[in-house]
Amino acid sequence: METTESRADASDNPNNGSSGDDNTSLENNHPPPLLPPTSAPSLVGTESDNIFPDSTLQTTGESIELPLPAPDNADAGLPAPRKRRRRKKQFPEMISSAAAVNGLRVIRHKSGNRSAEEIDGYGDDDPSRRRRISSDLDVESLIAISVGFPVDSLTEEEIEANVVKTIGGTDQSNYIVVRNHILARWRSNVDIWMTRDHAFESIRVEHTNLVDSAYSFLLEHGYINFGLAAAVKEAKLKSPEGSSRGDVIVIGAGLAGLVAARQLIFLGFKAVILEGRTRPGGRVRTKKMSGGDCVAAADLGGSVLTGINGNPLGVLARQLGFPLHKVRDICPLYLPNGKTVNPEIDSKVEASFNKLLDRVCKLRQSMMEEAKSIDVPLGTALEAFRQVYRVAEDPQEKMLLDWHLANLEYANATLMSNLSMVFWDQDDPFEMGGDHCFIPGGNDRFIRALAENLPIFYNRTVESIRYGSDGVLVYANGKEYHADMVLCTVPLGVLKKRSIEFVPDLPQRKKDAIERLGFGLLNKVALLFPYDFWGGEIDTFGHLSDKSSMRGEFFLFYSYSSVSGGPLLVALVAGEAAIQFEQMSPVESVKKVMEILKGIFNPKGIAVPDPLQVICTRWGQDQFTYGSYSYVGIGSSGDDYDILAESIGDGRVFFGGEATNKQYPATMHGAFLSGLREAANMLRVDKRRRSKSNNTNRSLTFPEK
C-alpha cells in the first residue's frame, strides 16, 4: 500500500491552524481586503510624512482501479446552495486597536505626535501632495501589517538586529516608515531583484542610515527578494562575492527545508539537504491520477493557500504566473438520507454553534484572569454549554451541530476532547486576509520550482544528530555528515516518536513542549471520475452523519474539477473517523464514499459513475510524518511553538517547520516562513561566532550519492 500524507497547510483546516479556507466559509473570518480607501486615516500619523522627496509607491495512499461505466451526461442539479459562515475569531482581546486592520485609525507613535517639520527641518505647503503621501503611507503600512509587522513598534527580530540606535525614539518612527516603503515597493513588483539603490531612489539622503538598516534587515530575513522570479532565482543561487560562511545540513526537503536552503546559499553558506523520501515536498504532495481519457492532479497533503494577502505562496504564484482559483464560500449540506438540510434549521444551528463558541470564549477569559494554569478540553466546555442551554436536542439539529464540530476537528486535525479550551485558536489574530485559493495543477508546482538546482540527497533517513562546540555530525543510512550547523525541519510527529536521536539529548524544556503540543490527523480520499456529475458551480458540499463518534467521516467534499485538470472529488476524514479510517480496507472506504454520493445524487435522477482511480491517504502511518499537522493540546499554549523553534547547542542545532511557527502553525505558509526565519537566525549566529574567532571553516564532507 502506498502511503500518502496529510496536509501541512492551512487549507485543510478551517482554523488556519491547519487549514482554513476563508472563502469556503468553512474556515475563519479574516481581515478585510488589503488596500483601504484612499480616504482612510494615516497609519503613521504625520511625524514621518516627509521622509520621501515625492510620493513614489507603485501600486498517497492506495490506488484502486475500478471499471469505467458508460458516460452519463445528466446535469447535476444541486439544491439551492447557501453560504456557510466561517468560524468566528475567539481572541478579540488580543487584537489591539492599532493592529486591527478593520477600520484602522491613526496610530500613536511611541516617539510622540511630532510633526513632519520637526523631523525633516522644513514644512510643506502643498496640501494635495501631503494627502498623496499620507495615502501612500496608509497602503504601505497595511502591506507591512499583512506580512506580520506591528504597526508602530519593532519586531523582536528587528530589536535583536539593532536596526535603530534608540528604541521608541524618532529614528524608530522614521525607520518603520522606510521599512514599510521598501517592503511595499518590492511587493508592487515581485519579479525584480530590488537593490539598495532602488530603495534610495525615493527616500531623502539624510535617512541613508535608515535605508541601509531597513534594506539589510528585510533582505537577510527574507521579506524582500524571495521566491522564484527569474531575477530572484539567479541571485539566490549565487553566494555573495567574498562571503564564505559556515557549512549547513538541512534535514527535510519540505517547504521549510527548501526555502531555508535557498536562502542560506544566497547568504553565503554551503548547504545541502538530506531527505528521507525519494521526492521533495514533505507533507505537500500532488499525485497525478488518470483513467481512460481523464487526467487530474490531486493534492493529497497541503492544498489551499489560506489568505492571499501577505502570503509568500501568493508571491510565488505571481512570480511563476500561476492563476489562482478563489475557493467559493457556498457549501450545501445533505442529510444521511441524501436530502438537503432545511435552510432555516441550518441557520438556527449555525447561529447556536457560534453562540456556544462565544460563551466558551467568555469563560476562558474569566479563567485566564483568575487562574491562568487551568485548562480543560474544548469539547467538554462546548458540550456543557450545549446541555445547559439545551442546544440541538432535535435529532436533525444534533447532526448539524456535529457537522460543525467535525469542521473544527478538521481545522485542528484532532478530536475536540484533545484541544485546549484556552489556547486552541491562539493563532487567529495573525491570520492572513484575502481570498483562499487553489493552485491549478497542484502545489507540487511550487515544490518542483523550489527544489530546482538545490543539492538534495534523497533516501537519507536521519538517525542521529550529534552536536558540540566544534560543529555537528549527522548520521543517515549509516553514513556520516559533518557541518558547522544543522537545521532540523522534520514534522512534530517525528520528534514525538523520537525517531531521531540527539546527542546530547534535547533540553527538557524542548522535550516538554514536544510532549504538550499535539500532532493530529486528517485523511483524504481522492476520486477521479469519468465526468463531473456534481456540477461545477460549487467548490464544496457537506454530508451529515447520524453517529456523533463518526461525524468527521467524509463530512466534507472538495471539488477540484476547475483546478485539477479533470473531474476530481476529494472527501475529507477528520476527528475520530480519521483514526479509524487508517484501520479500514481502502475498498471499504471507497464503498462508503460511493454510498454517500449515490444517496445524494441518485434521488435527483443523476447517475453516479464508478471512479476511474482512487487514492486513500494514510498520513498517520507515514514514517516521515506520523500525522498531519500540529494543534494546541490541553495544557499547551502558543509559547510551545516558540520553544520548539529555539536553537540548542549554543547555535549548532536549529528547528523549522509549521510546528515552530506560533503565528502561522499548521499551514504551508507557516512552514515557508519558518525556513526564512531560521536562515536569518543561522546568519546571526555565524556572524557572532566569526566575530569571536578568526578560525576558518573546514570543508563540508559528503559521501557519494
Side-chain angles (χ1 to χ4, degrees), residues 442-455:
N443 292 315
D444 188 56
R445 299 174 72 188
F446 287 143
I447 299 301
R448 292 197 304 269
L450 286 168
E452 186 180 359
N453 295 324
L454 285 180

Side-chain angles (χ1 to χ4, degrees), residues 87 90 352-363 376-392 398 401-402 404-406 408-409 412 415-417 419-421 424 551:
R87 180 174 59 76
Q90 297 301 305
S352 298
F353 171 71
N354 282 307
K355 287 181 181 178
L356 289 178
L357 285 177
D358 288 340
R359 293 187 184 281
V360 169
C361 180
K362 292 177 182 177
L363 172 63
V376 297
L378 175 63
T380 299
L382 284 172
E383 177 59 18
F385 279 119
R386 186 191 75 81
Q387 293 186 13
V388 168
Y389 292 98
R390 304 184 68 177
V391 173
K398 183 61 168 63
L401 181 63
D402 278 339
H404 287 287
L405 294 175
L408 278 189
E409 291 177 330
N412 296 277
L415 283 68
M416 300 294 294
S417 58
L419 288 173
S420 163
M421 186 197 75
W424 68 281
R551 61 194 174 206

Side-chain angles (χ1 to χ4, degrees), residues 454-477:
L454 285 180
I456 304 174
F457 290 74
Y458 295 104
N459 290 308
R460 299 296 196 273
T461 302
V462 172
E463 298 139 10
S464 70
I465 299 173
R466 298 173 182 268
Y467 58 97
S469 59
D470 58 345
V472 297
L473 291 176
V474 176
Y475 293 89
N477 294 81

